[in-house]
Amino acid sequence: MLLFVSVNQILLFLLVLTVCAILYNKVHQMPSALKNETVDLESPEEMEEEIPVVICAAAGRMGATIAAISSIYSNTEANVLFYIVGLKSTIPHIRKWIENSKLKEIKFKVVEFNPMVLKGKIRQDASRPELLQPLNFVRFYLPLLIQKHEKVIYLDDDIIVQGDIQELYDTKLAPGHAAAFSDDCDLPSTHEMVRSVGMQNTYMGFLDYRKQAIRDLGISPSTCSFNPGVIVANMTEWKHQRITKQLEKWMQRNVEENLYSSTLGGGVATSPMLIVFHGKYSAINPMWHIRHLGWSPDTRYSEHFLQEAKLLHWNGRYKPWDYPSVHTDLWENWFIPDPSGKFKLTRPDS
């Protein structure tokens, strides 16, 4: 009897062991393809890098923002996240425009900019009031608006991107540099344009060298300037060097001492950056910032040169959505009409 019980116990044990082995195989011997998919989804190395692009949406210029976004989105396969910065009054309009057009597929966040941060930091100047608009200073506050990214692209709204934005994002910043800009002396083919319309491309055109505070900087007035309408920024360095605080210091000094004004070349938003970043910035590929298209309604670049350009910038008074202006066809290729009908292009026959 004892032998019988013992045999039954052994058989039961073997049966349980067999069942466990079968279950183990079913659970753990998954098809290799499915296992690979699971690993890929969870592996951070395989995740596509997100490219944050900051661009403003100002009242009266939202068509520019839309065209810029459209050009970027259409010319890249990269994972772009647009940070669209506006004032409280403009945000509903730009959101509706995007969501009711072919841009509804883009990844974007709308960020409200509080103009109160500029209180006491801007010297009023009636000669170029458009240069005093609050959104012109968004680039000063990038780490406060965009917090989760190490590297950020900032773009003015009056640009069109014809290349792959991934290439611009891959711009190398030297150790210790918080930003990369385009040097105003970097492209010989633009020099004739600069001379023909009387633009300044040195610090003399932006700072008042009659003021002792400017002379004390030790910067030669013939030093080549740079254009902050296209920026590739390192947020870690920006915060470490307290760039925003430095910019605000020079804004406040200008209020007190009138060190630069909008009657000079770049107005009140470029000059503080020229001071703070002097000798401490990396270079953007010149073809990634072909500018001055908005400085004259008559002077034009060659069509071949513009086709080779990666990014076009209509900096200056003559914008491609207004009249007169030049090379408007290149801009209109990317413009998407306003579903609400509020924004309209100004053309000779309109």
Side-chain angles (χ1 to χ4, degrees):
M1 186 66 170
L2 287 173
L3 180 60
F4 180 79
V5 171
S6 181
V7 170
N8 281 344
Q9 288 176 336
I10 292 171
L11 291 173
L12 181 61
F13 174 79
L14 292 173
L15 179 62
V16 170
L17 195 62
T18 302
V19 170
C20 288
I22 293 171
L23 290 174
Y24 179 90
N25 287 335
K26 284 184 176 290
V27 171
H28 292 276
Q29 292 183 357
M30 298 163 62
S32 59
L34 183 57
K35 286 167 70 176
N36 289 339
E37 288 177 10
T38 304
V39 171
D40 287 345
L41 289 172
E42 294 179 353
S43 172
E45 290 78 14
E46 297 296 327
M47 292 178 67
E48 188 178 10
E49 186 174 19
E50 198 169 62
I51 298 178
V53 175
V54 180
I55 190 165
C56 294
R61 297 170 61 112
M62 289 191 198
T65 308
I66 291 293
I69 292 173
S70 173
S71 70
I72 296 166
Y73 180 65
S74 300
N75 286 305
T76 187
E77 297 294 328
N79 180 24
V80 180
L81 173 59
F82 293 96
Y83 284 88
I84 303 170
V85 186
L87 302 181
K88 187 175 183 179
S89 59
T90 64
I91 285 175
H93 186 187
I94 195 71
R95 185 184 293 277
K96 183 177 179 181
W97 198 332
I98 291 171
E99 292 176 348
N100 289 277
S101 73
K102 65 181 182 181
L103 293 180
K104 61 186 176 183
E105 301 298 329
I106 70 170
K107 291 172 60 178
F108 74 100
K109 293 183 180 180
V110 176
V111 181
E112 181 182 343
F113 183 69
N114 185 355
M116 289 304 295
V117 301
L118 301 173
K119 188 175 181 180
K121 301 183 182 74
I122 301 177
R123 184 183 185 88
Q124 296 303 312
D125 193 322
S127 61
R128 296 285 304 276
E130 73 275 13
L131 297 177
L132 303 177
Q133 296 301 316
L135 295 181
N136 285 344
F137 301 91
V138 162
R139 72 198 87 185
F140 289 16
Y141 297 94
L142 291 177
L144 302 180
L145 298 168
I146 315 301
Q147 298 179 1
K148 74 170 188 173
H149 301 282
E150 167 73 11
K151 196 175 186 182
V152 171
I153 294 174
Y154 167 87
L155 299 174
D156 277 354
D157 60 2
D158 51 353
I159 64 99
I160 287 296
V161 172
Q162 300 185 136
D164 187 340
I165 199 72
Q166 179 76 55
E167 187 179 327
L168 179 61
Y169 184 75
D170 289 340
T171 298
K172 301 296 183 185
L173 274 66
H177 286 179
F181 304 100
S182 290
D183 193 283
D184 281 330
C185 303
D186 62 8
L187 203 61
S189 53
T190 67
H191 294 175
E192 184 178 344
M193 171 77 82
V194 170
R195 287 193 297 269
S196 67
V197 297
M199 283 181 293
Q200 294 288 338
N201 62 355
T202 66
Y203 274 58
M204 175 65 84
F206 295 87
L207 306 178
D208 188 348
Y209 275 83
R210 296 172 299 178
K211 302 297 173 66
Q212 187 62 45
I214 297 301
R215 295 198 298 272
D216 288 345
L217 291 169
I219 303 173
S220 170
S222 62
T223 300
C224 194
S225 54
F226 59 81
N227 187 297
V230 177
I231 306 172
V232 181
N234 180 313
M235 293 293 92
T236 299
E237 281 294 337
W238 192 293
K239 289 181 280 191
H240 175 70
Q241 298 179 32
R242 298 170 62 84
I243 296 294
T244 297
K245 288 296 182 185
Q246 291 188 57
L247 292 167
E248 288 184 326
K249 181 191 80 170
W250 284 103
M251 292 169 74
Q252 289 167 333
R253 288 198 66 174
N254 184 57
V255 170
E256 299 161 4
E257 304 173 48
N258 195 22
L259 304 176
Y260 48 85
S261 74
S262 58
T263 57
L264 295 174
V268 294
T270 297
S271 300
M273 301 198 84
L274 291 178
I275 295 172
V276 171
F277 284 100
H278 173 252
K280 296 184 293 185
Y281 66 90
S282 297
I284 289 174
N285 182 326
M287 296 305 288
W288 267 100
H289 195 176
I290 302 303
R291 44 208 180 276
H292 314 318
L293 277 74
W295 275 86
S296 168
D298 304 310
T299 308
R300 306 171 67 92
Y301 287 111
S302 75
E303 292 301 323
H304 175 73
F305 176 69
L306 293 181
Q307 288 170 7
E308 296 295 317
K310 305 286 189 177
L311 182 148
L312 306 176
H313 188 183
W314 279 263
N315 57 312
R317 295 173 184 263
Y318 302 97
K319 304 301 185 185
W321 54 90
D322 283 334
Y323 180 83
S325 56
V326 296
H327 303 297
T328 55
D329 56 322
L330 296 174
W331 183 86
E332 280 194 53
N333 284 340
W334 307 107
F335 175 66
I336 300 172
D338 183 359
S340 72
K342 295 178 182 177
F343 182 94
K344 299 180 185 299
L345 301 182
T346 303
R347 294 293 180 256
D349 54 352
S350 62

